[in-house]
Amino acid sequence: QKEVEQNSGPLSVPEGAIASLNCTYSDRGSQSFFWYRQYSGKSPELIMFIYSNGDKEDGRFTAQLNKASQYVSLLIRDSQPSDSATYLCAVNSLRGGGFKTIFGAGTRLFVKA
Amino acid sequence: DTEVTQTPKHLVMGMTNKKSLKCEQHMGHRAMYWYKQKAKKPPELMFVYSYEKLSINESVPSRFSPECPNSSLLNLHLHALQPEDSALYLCASALAGVGNEQFFGPGTRLTVL
C-alpha cells in the first residue's frame, strides 16, 4: 500500500463545474495535509493546507479532512481552464529527527472551455 | 521577500564534474528541504535541515552532499553523478517545528551526460 494515494486521472470537467480531487493516506499519525498545484515544467505551488477534521474554505477551494477515514479531498468550484494542472496531495508525518513530507503521485485535472 | 530562489535554472554536467546547486530564502524559515522530481512523478524528499542541522537524510547516494551554511542558504553539492540523476531539483522552505506548509523554489533542471 502506498503511503499517499491519489487517482492519477486524468479528471476532466467542463468549465464552471466542481472538480473533486481525493487522497488517502496510510499513517494514522500524520498531522498536516497539503494540496499543491503543479503546472507542467513548473514547481509545486501551495493551494491549501489543513490540520483539523472538517472543511476549510479559501475562495473557490475547499479542503476536507477526515482523520478517522484517513481521507483528504480538495474541491474546486467554478473550475476554470487555468485550473488545468496536476494536483499533488502531501502529508506530513513526524519521523525520526523531523517532519517528513510524502507526496501522492498527483491527479491530472483538465478543465474544458 | 516571500519567495525561494534557486540557481542555476538549468545545469548540464558530465559524470566527472563537480557542481553545486544553491537555494536562498529570506522569509525567516528555519526548515529547508531538497527534493528530486522526475518527469510525471511526484517530488521525492532527499534531505531536510532544521535550524541548520541535517534532520532527515533519505538514504541518498553520497554523490549528493547537502550543506546549510546559515538559516537562509542551502546548497547541494554534486559529484560523479549518473545520467539517471537527471531531474528537476527542488528546494523548499518552511517554518520549522510542526510540519508547516512548504514553499518551493522554481527548481534547477539538471541534465547529466
Side-chain angles (χ1 to χ4, degrees):
Chain A
Q1 181 187 9
K2 292 181 181 178
E3 293 187 80
V4 180
E5 292 207 55
Q6 295 181 253
N7 187 329
S8 62
L11 173 65
S12 183
V13 301
E15 184 175 359
I18 295 175
S20 178
L21 305 165
N22 304 316
C23 173
T24 58
Y25 59 95
S26 60
D27 183 357
R28 284 195 172 275
S30 298
Q31 301 190 10
S32 46
F33 308 86
F34 309 91
W35 284 99
Y36 288 87
R37 177 175 64 197
Q38 188 171 25
Y39 294 111
S40 180
K42 302 294 186 182
S43 62
E45 174 192 8
L46 182 68
I47 298 296
M48 293 282 291
F49 61 91
I50 187 166
Y51 301 146
S52 303
N53 276 330
D55 295 359
K56 179 181 178 182
E57 186 174 321
D58 184 0
R60 297 187 295 114
F61 299 96
T62 298
Q64 299 173 317
L65 175 61
N66 184 326
K67 288 187 177 181
S69 300
Q70 296 173 241
Y71 174 91
V72 59
S73 66
L74 179 69
L75 300 178
I76 306 175
R77 290 180 297 281
D78 188 23
S79 296
Q80 301 297 309
S82 59
D83 294 326
S84 299
T86 296
Y87 288 80
L88 299 165
C89 172
V91 175
N92 267 14
S93 299
L94 186 59
R95 301 280 179 89
F99 282 92
K100 178 176 177 178
T101 303
I102 300 171
F103 283 83
T107 298
R108 294 181 65 194
L109 172 66
F110 289 108
V111 180
K112 298 175 291 185
Chain B
D1 190 346
T2 59
E3 66 173 359
V4 178
T5 59
Q6 290 186 245
T7 55
K9 290 185 178 179
H10 301 275
L11 178 62
V12 179
M13 60 186 292
M15 289 189 285
T16 59
N17 293 157
K18 286 185 179 180
K19 297 287 184 183
S20 296
L21 308 184
K22 298 185 183 300
C23 174
E24 188 167 2
Q25 58 86 16
H26 295 286
M27 295 181 280
H29 291 172
R30 301 307 295 272
M32 296 186 77
Y33 308 77
W34 279 116
Y35 288 88
K36 173 183 177 180
Q37 187 176 27
K38 303 281 272 185
K40 301 189 185 301
K41 298 291 186 182
E44 294 177 41
L45 184 65
M46 300 175 72
F47 304 103
V48 180
Y49 274 84
S50 180
Y51 293 92
E52 296 92 68
K53 292 185 179 179
L54 185 64
S55 62
I56 292 180
N57 178 339
E58 289 292 287
S59 301
V60 177
S62 60
R63 56 186 185 268
F64 296 92
S65 176
E67 178 194 20
C68 190
N70 60 56
S71 60
S72 299
L73 294 174
L74 184 67
N75 298 321
L76 186 64
H77 303 298
L78 313 173
H79 174 56
L81 294 193
Q82 303 297 308
E84 60 264 30
D85 296 322
S86 299
L88 180 67
Y89 288 83
L90 295 162
C91 172
S93 71
L95 290 170
V98 291
N100 285 299
E101 56 273 22
Q102 296 172 36
F103 296 90
F104 284 84
T108 293
R109 178 73 60 185
L110 174 67
T111 302
V112 182
L113 300 177

